[in-house]
Amino acid sequence: MPEQNPIEHLIGLLARLPGFGRRSARRAVLKMLMQPEQAMLPLAAALQEAAAAVQPCRICGNLDAVNPCGICRDPQRDHGLICVVEGVSELWALERAHAHRGLYHVLGGTLSALGGVGPEDLAVQPLLARIEGAAEPVREVILALPATVDGATTAHYLTDRLRPTGVQVTRLAQGVPIGGALDVLDEGTLAAALKARRVV
């Protein structure tokens, strides 16, 4: 079997990434190959370093090179306020908006009957354990979940599970369109949605 062309191999790998098709991957590879010392080698080193160092935070599920992550370790953040998100991309989107000064909890998805995702597939138990064992009492849990059927189902489920803890549960309000994903919204929309949250 003949060896695979390294250029085509690289294009194929980049084309698998979100936002890249074969055409944009080909342009990126060409740019890197034209300046390997300035573009390709530093990128390869950074990718290798990130692959070795980055890991999920044992408390919230964020990705960081330190564990617990920088957000969980930050004493300036409000540890009595936890924002529950579907994934790390939503956490990063909220951080870009600079609208939330509390902590986060990454669920790792949403409930989906069609997708076969049940409560045991999500980080629900770690959330409940985190609230029960918190050094500083948790006052509020914000459900920053997608405005989709699966997001609403997950929010209802979490509200029922959190009710016995006595923690106030709120949900993002205006600003998040129905069917919208948090990681594609602008910072102003996210900030408005967080400020207009309501009790569930």
Side-chain angles (χ1 to χ4, degrees):
M1 186 170 154
E3 278 191 38
Q4 186 173 15
N5 180 318
I7 296 173
E8 287 301 318
H9 181 60
L10 185 54
I11 291 169
L13 289 173
L14 281 179
R16 294 181 195 170
L17 297 174
F20 275 91
R22 283 201 65 82
R23 178 183 281 172
S24 54
R26 188 173 289 113
R27 282 197 305 265
V29 167
L30 179 59
K31 177 72 173 172
M32 289 187 288
L33 290 172
M34 298 288 283
Q35 301 174 323
E37 287 80 21
Q38 293 83 23
M40 183 172 275
L41 296 177
L43 177 62
L47 287 170
Q48 188 171 10
E49 182 182 346
V54 175
Q55 57 188 309
C57 174
R58 67 176 180 262
I59 297 173
C60 73
N62 186 22
L63 294 174
D64 204 335
V66 293
N67 203 346
C69 72
I71 294 172
C72 289
R73 296 159 64 114
D74 186 351
Q76 301 300 314
R77 298 195 80 109
D78 183 350
H79 287 244
L81 184 62
I82 297 176
C83 183
V84 177
V85 293
E86 179 182 6
V88 175
S89 63
E90 288 80 14
L91 186 157
W92 289 1
L94 288 165
E95 279 298 286
R96 283 195 312 270
H98 303 290
H100 178 63
R101 292 303 303 157
L103 302 179
Y104 293 93
H105 187 83
V106 177
L107 277 181
T110 54
L111 296 173
S112 172
L114 291 176
V117 180
E120 65 282 352
D121 300 312
L122 305 177
V124 176
Q125 278 308 126
L127 173 63
L128 297 171
R130 188 174 168 191
I131 291 168
E132 292 296 325
E136 181 180 328
V138 176
R139 301 181 317 278
E140 180 183 354
V141 171
I142 304 167
L143 302 179
L145 298 171
T148 61
V149 172
D150 291 344
T153 302
T154 307
H156 288 299
Y157 176 79
L158 288 175
T159 301
D160 289 343
R161 293 297 308 271
L162 291 167
R163 191 168 284 119
T165 68
V167 172
Q168 183 182 40
V169 180
T170 58
R171 185 145 187 227
L172 294 186
Q174 64 190 36
V176 180
I178 299 298
L182 294 181
D183 62 340
V184 297
L185 297 176
D186 66 285
E187 290 80 1
T189 302
L190 283 170
L194 265 172
K195 287 180 182 150
R197 66 185 182 270
R198 58 183 172 76
V199 177
V200 178

